[in-house]
Amino acid sequence: MEQLPQSESLHGPQVPGRFAEQRPQRVRVQAPQDASLTVSPDRPEHTAEEFYVRQLIRSQLRLACAVAAGLLALLVGISALLVFWPVFEDIHLLGLPLPWWVLGVGMYPLIIVAGMLYNKAAERNEERYRSISRG
């Protein structure tokens, strides 16, 4: 290893003055001369199939998040409507207040319809992926 002169330290030459310790020293980082920067031709970084599978997974995740957010918004909206309009609490069906019927029974058909729509859209995404991967 090369010896530095007495006037220089590992951090470069000493600069006299009151701001000498505050100045950041530059360091040069360099790869060895025999380092190879070529990529192995045996396996590319990402294949087209991996790319399309990743895109399919992302589209299915976006679809699932959209359906879940829609159901959550619908549930919160119906709950807020029932809370802020107390007229609905005065209506009774078979001894139970209307808000209980709406939230306890009425939400199930909405969940089933959302599930059916999700399933149809997910199948459409998968069919689109299959048509790309075949062709």
Side-chain angles (χ1 to χ4, degrees):
M1 190 165 180
E2 183 182 334
Q3 293 291 328
L4 296 175
Q6 284 291 347
S7 62
E8 294 184 10
S9 68
L10 292 175
H11 301 292
Q14 295 295 324
V15 179
R18 77 178 204 212
F19 297 110
E21 279 95 39
Q22 294 178 358
R23 185 180 323 157
Q25 299 297 320
R26 297 178 78 183
V27 177
R28 183 175 183 172
V29 178
Q30 192 172 353
Q33 293 295 329
D34 61 346
S36 175
L37 298 177
T38 60
V39 178
S40 172
D42 299 337
R43 172 129 163 81
E45 190 68 27
H46 296 290
T47 63
E49 185 176 328
E50 290 172 352
F51 172 76
Y52 288 125
V53 168
R54 200 173 309 113
Q55 291 299 96
L56 173 65
I57 291 171
R58 285 181 184 164
S59 67
Q60 298 291 56
L61 179 63
R62 274 192 306 267
L63 178 62
C65 289
V67 170
L71 278 174
L72 183 66
L74 190 63
L75 182 64
V76 168
I78 290 174
S79 298
L81 178 75
L82 295 174
V83 166
F84 292 121
W85 279 4
V87 173
F88 290 112
E89 289 192 26
D90 295 337
I91 302 171
H92 292 298
L93 297 172
L94 300 174
L96 291 175
L98 182 64
W100 287 37
W101 283 104
V102 170
L103 293 174
V105 178
M107 287 303 295
Y108 288 105
L110 296 174
I111 293 171
I112 291 170
V113 168
M116 291 169 53
L117 292 174
Y118 170 79
N119 198 16
K120 188 174 182 179
E123 287 175 358
R124 191 173 34 231
N125 283 345
E126 290 172 6
E127 183 57 39
R128 196 174 305 138
Y129 166 73
R130 278 189 224 108
S131 70
I132 291 172
S133 65
R134 278 182 274 187

